[in-house]
Amino acid sequence: MPAAAPQPLSSADPAAVESTCREHGLTEAEFRELHARCVGAKATAYCPYSQFRVGASLVSADGVFFNGANVENASYPVTTCAERVAFGKAVTEGHRQIKAVAVATDISPPASPCGMCRQFIREFCDLNAPVIMFDKDDNFIAMRLEELLPVSFGPEALPPPGSLVR
């Protein structure tokens, strides 16, 4: 039987924010910046087909923030999720160690990243990295990547380059 989803917390509740930050190794300023940026990024979404806006923000281990929004395409599989847009920006600017990820949508309760994005996040985040999900009312759920992607496959599972014998 699947575990029950955590109950959303209010981002307006200082105790909830402080507790979340302490548990996930974030400062309150990082939490607030991630929240503001992912909500703001949502406004830049290109989603004429689904009308489902998603904004993402992440902070690198160096403290640099990157934002992204979903970009849809008439050929649905070509659509790019907000999380992958933000990660693409970070990676192409030389930031490959990501400390935390935040996403925001226009629904309630908070929505989690899709499976493809979870795997993409896994490439650049430690399994203990927090993924903070905000809903339309600014309530949030914070989970570690390992909770969202248990028994994951990551870069360390691959053989070193040149080690395969033909």
Side-chain angles (χ1 to χ4, degrees), residues 13 17 20-21 25 29 34 40 42 55 67 77 106 108 133 135-136 142 148 152 156-157:
D13 178 354
V17 171
T20 298
C21 290
L34 284 165
K42 192 172 57 167
N67 306 331
D106 292 321
S108 187
M133 301 153 277
D135 71 9
K136 66 183 179 69
L148 290 173
S152 69
E156 73 284 348

Side-chain angles (χ1 to χ4, degrees), residues 11-133:
S11 63
D13 178 354
V17 171
E18 190 274 328
S19 174
T20 298
C21 290
R22 188 174 354 100
E23 180 181 347
H24 294 286
L26 294 171
T27 67
E28 289 187 38
E30 288 171 325
F31 179 94
R32 298 280 181 214
E33 189 74 11
L34 284 165
H35 179 206
R37 285 174 169 267
C38 70
V39 170
K42 192 172 57 167
T44 68
Y46 176 75
C47 52
Y49 309 109
S50 73
Q51 302 294 303
F52 188 74
R53 301 184 313 159
V54 181
S57 184
L58 50 91
V59 61
S60 72
D62 300 330
V64 181
F65 289 85
F66 297 91
N67 306 331
N70 53 319
V71 180
E72 293 183 347
N73 190 283
S75 177
Y76 290 148
V78 181
T79 293
T80 306
C81 297
E83 299 90 331
R84 288 183 285 134
V85 170
F87 272 90
K89 288 179 175 180
V91 170
T92 59
E93 293 185 26
H95 297 269
R96 294 190 173 108
Q97 292 182 315
I98 305 305
K99 179 178 179 179
V101 179
V103 296
T105 63
D106 292 321
I107 63 169
S108 187
S112 69
C114 72
M116 185 182 296
C117 285
R118 292 177 193 199
Q119 185 62 48
F120 202 87
I121 293 167
R122 173 67 172 88
E123 185 76 14
F124 303 104
C125 286
D126 182 84
L127 288 170
N128 288 319
V131 177
I132 307 166
M133 301 153 277

